[in-house]
Amino acid sequence: MDTETFDYVIVGGGTAGCVLASRLAMASDASVLMLEAGGSDLRPMVQLPIGYARLLFDRGVNWLYETEPDAGLGGRRSFWPRGKVLGGSGSINAMVYMRGLPHDFEDWRAMGNIGWGYEDVLPYFKRAEDHDNGDPRYHGRGGPIHVTDVSRDVHPICHRYLAACEALGFQATPDFNGAQGEGVGIYQINTRSGSRSSSANEHLRKARRRRNLEVRTKSLTTRLTFEGKRASGVRYLRGGIEHAVTARRQLILCGGAINTPQLLQLSGVGDGARLQAMGIQPVHDSPAVGRNLQDHLAVSYFYGSTLPTLNDQLGPFFGKVRAALRYLATRRGPLAMSVNQGGGFVRSDPAQAVPNLQLYFNPVSYTRTPLTERKLLSPDPFSAFLISFNACRPTSRGELHIVSADPAAAPAIRPNYLSTQHDLDEARAGCRLLRRIAATQPLADIITGELYPEPHVRTDDDLLEDFRQRADTVYHPTCTARMGTDPRESVVDARLRVHGLENLRIIDASVFPTVTSGNTNAPTVMVAEKGAAMLIEDMGS
């Protein structure tokens, strides 16, 4: 087969890949190729903010992964949607803009990752931003990705929820990503003028005008190629035909926390003994590939309401019409937002050194349809809302591994949820806190009753069992090719170079040393911005 050559080859056109492709193409005349297994993001439900729930089960934009049965969830499997489209999971997520808390990055640096402390990464968060009105000490203006303050548009009962949290002693914060990350408040989101503000929209759209950037969609990378310990290129399938491409300067993996370790293992980089047992000749023994998997696990409590909620706006036909007309006229309203409107970062008890729980408030509910049928425009036919939480920094560690040498076969994903006493304790504490919030005025004043988990669930054991039966991922898998100093315990170094191999970098959420305290899209963008700066710096060396 013919082989093409580019200076830089990027595997994966997701959140990180789009940032990287744009920055590299704009920095010089070096040739850049980006390969994406999915297709275009120019779909109405991708661009419409509230359309994201329609994408959770859309095979056209989603890998539709499922975990192995997990003992921590009572033997249940967990559904893991991941973006298979330009923009990746940033094109199908709920758009909450949350960087994580400063101590997350201080911990990264303390683990030996020099250059990844909070003050080190802050400039890259700012570089990525076009923020509505943030404090310039913490926020950027004029960057690619827009951050919208939706506080004037949130549902009115959101303020009752926040007032109840404050009555419990939790401080209010106007900006989780500013001077005071701890507390409760309104989540900012990644939208621009009522449309999704993703790295595909904001980075890639402009960069594709450059002649030195080529983007190929519907291109499934099947393996990396090596010359000894040097990564030379990739093989990929497009239209049923295998193609080969070589990377003159650098090959960069941006497949995310699932696809990046999967591709490494398919290519002979991973636990050598396990790969040999599957008939794959090891190129480099790196046992950390696919291990150290971390994720956020959440549960929701549902409450009936005496006041109207989004159920009353988005459920009836004419309510949908009014919401659509408002959106078309003003680009505002419920269709222009996420339903994750309020929440915060709090300590379950004063003994906690840092916030250990993330809270969410949704002025909408879905109690009569299973997860596979839920749509944000078809909520319960009565007034209700939900409150939820997840532990910020779980200590359980999972893994993923390929099940065959077939690149089209999904890997086995084993989250290993609730496998530490720390995580069990935080699950109980979070459940108790949700009940305390619901019992506090002024939120308690409008509650007609608890719909789930139901009042008979009272003891710590009851709460934990309910958590096992109903909790699920909030779609934040990370750390499967983590950054660190020990090649046996990590996959990349602090400059994102794969230990023991040449010409190969990983720049995506798989390199997080530990999961951040909040939503993971914004820190993934930061990793891509910092990784791009490293590559551009190398251009001049």
Side-chain angles (χ1 to χ4, degrees), residues 318-469:
F318 287 109
K320 291 182 175 69
V321 171
R322 283 192 292 271
L325 290 174
R326 181 183 180 191
Y327 178 77
L328 292 172
T330 67
R331 308 291 282 183
R332 291 174 59 187
L335 302 192
M337 299 172 63
S338 169
V339 294
N340 292 315
Q341 295 187 359
F345 295 85
V346 302
R347 307 180 199 214
S348 59
D349 63 81
Q352 298 292 328
V354 293
N356 63 316
L357 299 178
Q358 181 175 8
L359 304 177
Y360 306 87
F361 176 79
N362 287 203
V364 68
S365 70
Y366 310 87
T367 63
R368 295 191 174 183
T369 53
L371 176 63
T372 54
E373 298 175 10
R374 289 181 190 171
K375 297 179 174 62
L376 292 182
L377 297 181
S378 301
D380 286 330
F382 49 82
S383 304
F385 60 86
L386 68 86
I387 58 178
S388 58
F389 83 94
N390 63 251
C392 290
R393 296 281 297 276
T395 56
S396 297
R397 300 290 182 263
E399 68 166 0
L400 69 88
H401 204 278
I402 57 173
V403 297
S404 78
D406 179 4
I413 304 170
R414 298 181 176 88
N416 208 24
Y417 290 128
L418 300 178
S419 56
T420 67
Q421 189 62 47
H422 171 275
D423 291 357
L424 293 171
D425 291 343
E426 293 203 331
R428 294 186 186 97
C431 292
R432 289 193 298 266
L433 176 57
L434 294 186
R435 285 261 177 86
R436 288 173 57 206
I437 294 171
T440 303
Q441 295 178 346
L443 189 63
D445 294 341
I446 66 168
I447 289 177
T448 61
E450 186 176 87
L451 306 176
Y452 285 98
E454 299 180 344
H456 71 269
V457 177
R458 302 306 308 176
T459 69
D460 275 1
D461 287 344
D462 291 342
L463 293 171
L464 182 58
E465 182 58 27
D466 176 73
F467 190 92
R468 290 190 193 278
Q469 294 302 318

Side-chain angles (χ1 to χ4, degrees), residues 1 12 22 39 103 232 235-236 248 255 268 271 355 382 415 478 501-502 527:
M1 73 183 71
S22 170
H103 68 267
S232 57
R235 298 289 175 87
Y236 69 96
R248 185 181 295 112
D271 185 315
F382 49 82
T478 55
L501 295 173
E502 300 174 12
V527 166

Side-chain angles (χ1 to χ4, degrees), residues 85-131:
V85 61
L86 286 176
S89 296
S91 286
I92 68 170
N93 69 355
M95 298 157 294
V96 172
Y97 179 75
M98 182 62 214
R99 296 171 175 176
L101 299 174
H103 68 267
D104 295 330
F105 306 104
E106 293 303 290
D107 288 348
W108 288 13
R109 182 173 59 184
M111 295 170 68
N113 299 297
I114 305 304
W116 291 91
Y118 177 66
E119 293 298 329
D120 301 312
V121 302
L122 180 59
Y124 298 98
F125 280 118
K126 294 172 67 174
R127 177 180 300 181
E129 274 189 354
D130 183 18
H131 201 283

Side-chain angles (χ1 to χ4, degrees), residues 170-183:
F170 299 123
Q171 58 190 333
T173 180
D175 182 3
F176 296 117
N177 302 297
Q180 179 187 313
E182 181 174 0

Side-chain angles (χ1 to χ4, degrees), residues 234-254:
V234 301
R235 298 289 175 87
Y236 69 96
L237 291 174
R238 193 182 197 202
I241 300 172
E242 186 177 45
H243 302 269
V245 63
T246 61
R248 185 181 295 112
R249 294 188 182 180
Q250 196 85 172
L251 175 61
I252 309 118
L253 303 188
C254 298

Side-chain angles (χ1 to χ4, degrees), residues 14-149:
T15 292
C18 289
V19 174
L20 193 63
S22 170
R23 294 301 191 191
L24 289 178
M26 301 291 281
S28 74
D29 292 328
S31 57
V32 180
L33 171 67
M34 187 173 77
L35 300 171
E36 165 55 37
S40 171
D41 64 316
L42 295 178
R43 292 169 168 237
M45 287 298 107
V46 171
Q47 301 304 322
L48 180 70
I50 207 170
Y52 67 89
R54 294 285 182 94
L55 307 174
L56 286 179
F57 301 94
D58 185 344
R59 191 171 296 277
V61 296
N62 196 324
W63 287 100
L64 302 180
Y65 289 120
E66 190 175 61
T67 71
E68 298 298 295
D70 195 284
L73 301 185
R76 292 187 295 123
R77 296 178 184 269
S78 185
F79 174 62
W80 280 22
R82 307 306 298 160
K84 186 181 181 182
V85 61
L86 286 176
S89 296
S91 286
I92 68 170
N93 69 355
M95 298 157 294
V96 172
Y97 179 75
M98 182 62 214
R99 296 171 175 176
L101 299 174
H103 68 267
D104 295 330
F105 306 104
E106 293 303 290
D107 288 348
W108 288 13
R109 182 173 59 184
M111 295 170 68
N113 299 297
I114 305 304
W116 291 91
Y118 177 66
E119 293 298 329
D120 301 312
V121 302
L122 180 59
Y124 298 98
F125 280 118
K126 294 172 67 174
R127 177 180 300 181
E129 274 189 354
D130 183 18
H131 201 283
D132 267 352
N133 50 16
D135 184 335
R137 292 176 299 170
Y138 301 98
H139 291 289
R141 296 293 295 270
I145 297 179
H146 192 259
V147 181
T148 301
D149 178 356

Side-chain angles (χ1 to χ4, degrees), residues 486-539:
D486 184 350
R488 305 298 295 177
E489 299 293 332
S490 62
V491 180
V492 300
D493 65 15
R495 289 190 67 81
L496 308 181
R497 299 170 297 202
V498 175
H499 290 302
L501 295 173
E502 300 174 12
N503 202 45
L504 182 62
R505 273 183 162 98
I506 301 173
I507 302 177
D508 59 30
S510 71
V511 306
F512 289 17
T514 54
V515 68
T516 50
S517 289
N519 310 72
T520 53
N521 186 258
T524 300
V525 171
M526 177 276 292
V527 166
E529 291 280 11
K530 189 169 171 62
M534 290 174 178
L535 286 165
I536 292 168
E537 180 182 357
D538 289 349
M539 286 181 184

